[in-house]
Amino acid sequence: SHEALEGWEVQACGGLPGWARRPALPFSCVLLFSWELLMQIKTVGVIGAGTMGNGIAQVFAQAGFAVVLFDAAPGAVDRAFKTIDKSLAKFVEKGKLSADDAAATRARLTGADSLEAFAGVDYVVEAVVESLDVKRQIFGALDRITRPE
């Protein structure tokens, strides 16, 4: 077991096998990846460029992943990049991130104008409106576009 998982129980959390739960936090679950699988992820696709989506995209980019960001709403990706740029600038201003690291983070972010750009991503995060019909449509398209694994 990895030290990072110390105090976590591997169990069927929320009915899904392979999840972990910290006993002190009964409703806090995280999916466990094998390190081999995690190391294969180079590019992350984020669907939805609103508050959640742009934050998720920024975190992945700061962690060193290439990120493809898509939103069906016209102008949403551009607005997300402006929000991310402001956030990175604040981190630089406060000394929490170097200007070079902020620039490298921003360089890892690209926008997409269709889900077809997700054909080559290794991992997809969905952060769209809470509508079952929208989610079904997105995941149906992803089934056709993304690699089977």
Side-chain angles (χ1 to χ4, degrees), residues 36-85:
E36 293 79 19
L37 177 61
L38 188 59
M39 297 311 292
Q40 292 174 17
I41 298 173
K42 304 291 182 218
T43 304
V44 175
V46 179
I47 303 170
T51 302
M52 289 288 293
N54 75 54
I56 292 166
Q58 179 178 336
V59 168
F60 273 111
Q62 280 186 253
F65 295 94
V67 177
V68 179
L69 181 60
F70 169 77
D71 197 297
V77 171
D78 289 335
R79 285 190 300 276
F81 286 157
K82 288 177 184 174
T83 299
I84 291 168
D85 289 342

Side-chain angles (χ1 to χ4, degrees), residues 46-128:
V46 179
I47 303 170
T51 302
M52 289 288 293
N54 75 54
I56 292 166
Q58 179 178 336
V59 168
F60 273 111
Q62 280 186 253
F65 295 94
V67 177
V68 179
L69 181 60
F70 169 77
D71 197 297
V77 171
D78 289 335
R79 285 190 300 276
F81 286 157
K82 288 177 184 174
T83 299
I84 291 168
D85 289 342
K86 288 178 188 175
S87 174
L88 293 172
K90 284 182 185 176
F91 283 141
V92 171
E93 181 182 312
K94 292 179 179 184
K96 296 181 183 256
L97 192 67
S98 73
D100 288 344
D101 287 342
T105 295
R106 186 58 177 87
R108 286 189 283 271
L109 292 157
T110 58
D113 44 3
S114 78
L115 286 177
E116 298 298 323
F118 284 57
V121 303
D122 303 309
Y123 186 75
V124 177
V125 177
E126 167 277 315
V128 299

